[in-house]
Coordinates of all heavy atoms in Angstrom, one line a residue:
A1419 N 173.2 223.7 140.1 CA 174.0 225.0 140.1 C 173.2 226.1 139.3 O 173.0 227.2 139.7 CB 175.4 224.9 139.5
E1420 N 172.7 225.6 138.1 CA 171.9 226.5 137.3 C 170.6 227.0 138.0 O 170.2 228.1 137.9 CB 171.5 225.9 136.0 CG 172.7 225.6 135.1 CD 172.4 224.7 133.9 OE1 171.3 224.1 133.9 OE2 173.3 224.5 133.0
A1421 N 170.0 226.1 138.7 CA 168.7 226.4 139.4 C 169.0 227.4 140.5 O 168.2 228.3 140.7 CB 168.1 225.1 139.9
R1422 N 170.1 227.2 141.3 CA 170.4 228.1 142.3 C 170.6 229.5 141.8 O 170.1 230.5 142.4 CB 171.6 227.6 143.1 CG 171.3 226.4 144.0 CD 172.5 226.2 145.0 NE 173.7 225.8 144.3 CZ 174.1 224.6 144.0 NH1 173.3 223.6 144.4 NH2 175.2 224.3 143.4
L1423 N 171.3 229.6 140.7 CA 171.6 230.9 140.1 C 170.3 231.5 139.6 O 170.0 232.7 139.8 CB 172.5 230.8 138.9 CG 172.8 232.1 138.1 CD1 173.4 233.1 139.0 CD2 173.7 231.8 136.9
A1424 N 169.4 230.7 138.9 CA 168.1 231.2 138.4 C 167.3 231.7 139.5 O 166.6 232.8 139.3 CB 167.4 230.1 137.6
A1425 N 167.2 231.0 140.6 CA 166.4 231.4 141.7 C 166.8 232.8 142.3 O 165.9 233.6 142.6 CB 166.4 230.4 142.8
R1426 N 168.1 233.1 142.3 CA 168.5 234.4 142.8 C 168.3 235.5 141.8 O 168.0 236.6 142.2 CB 170.0 234.3 143.2 CG 170.2 233.6 144.5 CD 171.6 233.0 144.7 NE 171.7 232.3 146.0 CZ 171.2 231.2 146.4 NH1 170.6 230.4 145.4 NH2 171.3 230.7 147.6
L1427 N 168.4 235.2 140.5 CA 168.1 236.2 139.5 C 166.6 236.6 139.6 O 166.2 237.7 139.5 CB 168.5 235.7 138.1 CG 170.0 235.5 137.9 CD1 170.2 235.0 136.5 CD2 170.7 236.8 138.1
K1428 N 165.8 235.5 139.8 CA 164.3 235.8 139.9 C 164.0 236.6 141.0 O 163.1 237.5 141.0 CB 163.6 234.4 140.0 CG 162.1 234.5 139.9 CD 161.5 234.6 141.3 CE 161.7 233.3 142.1 NZ 161.1 233.5 143.5
D1429 N 164.8 236.6 142.1 CA 164.5 237.3 143.3 C 165.1 238.8 143.2 O 165.0 239.5 144.2 CB 165.1 236.6 144.6 CG 164.2 235.5 145.0 OD1 163.0 235.5 144.6 OD2 164.7 234.6 145.7
G1430 N 165.6 239.1 142.1 CA 166.0 240.5 141.8 C 167.5 240.8 141.9 O 167.9 242.0 141.8
L1431 N 168.4 239.8 142.2 CA 169.8 240.1 142.3 C 170.3 240.2 140.9 O 169.9 239.6 139.9 CB 170.5 238.9 143.0 CG 170.2 238.7 144.4 CD1 171.0 237.5 145.0 CD2 170.3 239.9 145.3
S1432 N 171.4 241.1 140.7 CA 172.1 241.1 139.5 C 173.0 239.9 139.3 O 173.2 239.1 140.3 CB 172.9 242.4 139.4 OG 174.0 242.3 140.4
L1433 N 173.5 239.7 138.1 CA 174.3 238.5 137.9 C 175.6 238.6 138.8 O 176.0 237.6 139.4 CB 174.8 238.4 136.4 CG 175.4 237.1 136.0 CD1 174.3 236.0 136.0 CD2 175.9 237.2 134.5
K1434 N 176.1 239.8 139.0 CA 177.3 239.9 139.9 C 176.9 239.6 141.3 O 177.7 239.0 142.0 CB 177.8 241.4 139.7 CG 179.1 241.6 140.5 CD 179.6 243.1 140.3 CE 180.8 243.3 141.1 NZ 181.3 244.7 140.9
E1435 N 175.8 240.2 141.8 CA 175.4 239.9 143.2 C 175.1 238.5 143.4 O 175.4 237.9 144.5 CB 174.1 240.8 143.5 CG 174.4 242.3 143.5 CD 173.1 243.1 143.5 OE1 172.0 242.5 143.1 OE2 173.1 244.2 144.0
A1436 N 174.4 237.8 142.4 CA 174.1 236.4 142.6 C 175.4 235.6 142.6 O 175.5 234.6 143.5 CB 173.2 235.9 141.4
A1437 N 176.4 235.9 141.8 CA 177.6 235.2 141.8 C 178.3 235.3 143.2 O 178.8 234.3 143.7 CB 178.5 235.7 140.7
A1438 N 178.3 236.5 143.7 CA 179.0 236.8 145.0 C 178.3 235.9 146.1 O 178.9 235.4 147.0 CB 178.9 238.2 145.3
E1439 N 176.9 235.9 146.1 CA 176.2 235.2 147.1 C 176.4 233.7 147.0 O 176.5 233.0 148.0 CB 174.7 235.5 147.0 CG 173.9 234.9 148.1 CD 172.4 235.4 148.1 OE1 172.2 236.6 148.2 OE2 171.5 234.6 148.0
L1440 N 176.6 233.2 145.8 CA 176.8 231.8 145.6 C 178.3 231.4 145.7 O 178.6 230.2 145.6 CB 176.3 231.3 144.2 CG 174.8 231.4 144.0 CD1 174.4 231.3 142.5 CD2 174.1 230.4 144.9
G1441 N 179.2 232.4 145.8 CA 180.6 232.0 145.9 C 181.2 231.5 144.6 O 182.1 230.7 144.6
I1442 N 180.7 232.0 143.5 CA 181.3 231.6 142.2 C 181.7 232.9 141.4 O 181.4 234.0 141.8 CB 180.3 230.9 141.3 CG1 179.0 231.7 141.0 CG2 179.9 229.6 142.0 CD1 178.0 231.1 140.1
S1443 N 182.6 232.7 140.4 CA 183.0 233.9 139.6 C 181.9 234.4 138.7 O 181.0 233.6 138.4 CB 184.2 233.5 138.8 OG 183.9 232.6 137.8
V1444 N 182.0 235.6 138.3 CA 181.0 236.2 137.4 C 181.1 235.4 136.1 O 180.1 235.2 135.4 CB 181.2 237.7 137.2 CG1 180.3 238.2 136.1 CG2 181.0 238.4 138.5
N1445 N 182.3 235.0 135.7 CA 182.4 234.3 134.4 C 181.7 233.0 134.5 O 181.0 232.6 133.5 CB 183.9 234.1 134.1 CG 184.1 233.6 132.7 OD1 183.6 234.1 131.7 ND2 184.8 232.5 132.6
T1446 N 181.8 232.3 135.6 CA 181.1 231.0 135.8 C 179.6 231.2 135.7 O 178.9 230.5 135.1 CB 181.5 230.4 137.1 OG1 182.9 230.1 137.1 CG2 180.7 229.1 137.4
A1447 N 179.1 232.3 136.4 CA 177.7 232.6 136.4 C 177.2 232.9 134.9 O 176.2 232.5 134.5 CB 177.4 233.9 137.3
R1448 N 178.1 233.6 134.1 CA 177.7 233.9 132.7 C 177.5 232.6 132.0 O 176.6 232.4 131.2 CB 178.7 234.8 132.1 CG 178.7 236.2 132.6 CD 179.5 237.1 131.6 NE 179.6 238.5 132.1 CZ 180.6 239.0 132.7 NH1 181.7 238.3 132.8 NH2 180.6 240.2 133.1
N1449 N 178.5 231.6 132.2 CA 178.4 230.4 131.5 C 177.1 229.6 131.9 O 176.5 229.0 131.0 CB 179.6 229.5 131.8 CG 180.9 230.1 131.2 OD1 180.8 230.8 130.1 ND2 182.0 229.8 131.7
Q1450 N 176.8 229.6 133.2 CA 175.6 228.9 133.6 C 174.3 229.6 133.1 O 173.4 228.9 132.7 CB 175.6 228.9 135.2 CG 176.6 228.1 135.8 CD 176.6 228.2 137.3 OE1 175.8 228.9 137.9 NE2 177.5 227.4 138.0
I1451 N 174.3 230.9 133.0 CA 173.1 231.6 132.5 C 172.9 231.3 131.0 O 171.8 231.2 130.6 CB 173.1 233.1 132.9 CG1 171.7 233.6 133.0 CG2 173.8 233.9 131.8 CD1 171.0 233.0 134.2
R1452 N 174.0 231.2 130.3 CA 173.9 230.8 128.9 C 173.2 229.5 128.7 O 172.3 229.2 127.8 CB 175.2 230.8 128.2 CG 175.7 232.2 127.7 CD 176.8 232.2 126.7 NE 178.0 231.7 127.4 CZ 178.9 232.5 127.9 NH1 178.7 233.8 127.9 NH2 180.0 232.0 128.5
S1453 N 173.6 228.5 129.6 CA 173.0 227.2 129.5 C 171.5 227.3 129.9 O 170.7 226.6 129.3 CB 173.7 226.3 130.5 OG 173.1 225.0 130.5
V1454 N 171.2 228.1 130.9 CA 169.8 228.3 131.3 C 169.0 228.8 130.1 O 167.8 228.4 129.8 CB 169.7 229.2 132.5 CG1 168.2 229.5 132.8 CG2 170.3 228.5 133.7
F1455 N 169.5 229.8 129.4 CA 168.9 230.4 128.3 C 168.5 229.3 127.3 O 167.4 229.3 126.7 CB 169.8 231.5 127.6 CG 169.9 232.8 128.3 CD1 170.7 233.7 127.9 CD2 169.0 233.0 129.4 CE1 170.8 235.0 128.6 CE2 169.1 234.2 130.1 CZ 170.0 235.2 129.7
E1456 N 169.5 228.5 127.0 CA 169.2 227.4 126.0 C 168.1 226.5 126.4 O 167.2 226.1 125.6 CB 170.5 226.6 125.7 CG 171.6 227.4 125.1 CD 172.9 226.7 125.0 OE1 172.9 225.5 125.4 OE2 173.9 227.2 124.5
K1457 N 168.1 226.1 127.7 CA 167.1 225.2 128.2 C 165.7 225.8 128.2 O 164.7 225.0 128.1 CB 167.5 224.6 129.6 CG 168.7 223.7 129.5 CD 169.1 223.2 130.9 CE 170.4 222.3 130.8 NZ 170.8 221.8 132.1
L1458 N 165.6 227.0 128.4 CA 164.3 227.7 128.5 C 163.8 228.3 127.2 O 162.7 228.8 127.0 CB 164.3 228.8 129.6 CG 163.8 228.3 131.0 CD1 164.9 227.4 131.6 CD2 163.5 229.5 131.9
G1459 N 164.7 228.2 126.2 CA 164.4 228.8 124.9 C 164.2 230.3 124.9 O 163.4 230.8 124.2
V1460 N 165.1 230.9 125.7 CA 165.1 232.4 125.7 C 166.5 232.9 125.4 O 167.5 232.1 125.4 CB 164.6 233.0 127.1 CG1 163.2 232.5 127.4 CG2 165.6 232.5 128.2
N1461 N 166.6 234.2 125.1 CA 167.9 234.7 124.8 C 168.2 236.1 125.5 O 169.1 236.7 125.2 CB 168.1 234.9 123.2 CG 167.0 235.7 122.6 OD1 166.3 236.5 123.3 ND2 166.9 235.5 121.3

């Protein structure tokens, strides 16, 4: 799930647009992106 979201952000979608394309809530996308930040060591 995190990888699918990351791939869409990399392709230029906003968090809201990526969430809509993946069929998840923006809040769920925010939680996933926080986890991605931790794993990649970025903030």
Side-chain angles (χ1 to χ4, degrees):
E1420 292 166 352
R1422 287 193 294 270
L1423 175 62
R1426 282 158 178 79
L1427 293 178
K1428 185 268 294 179
D1429 285 337
L1431 296 183
S1432 68
L1433 196 64
K1434 183 177 180 181
E1435 292 168 336
E1439 186 170 303
L1440 292 169
I1442 60 177
S1443 69
V1444 174
N1445 190 52
T1446 298
R1448 288 197 185 102
N1449 290 334
Q1450 290 177 358
I1451 208 63
R1452 277 196 290 269
S1453 175
V1454 173
F1455 284 172
E1456 292 175 3
K1457 291 180 179 180
L1458 269 69
V1460 299
N1461 54 22

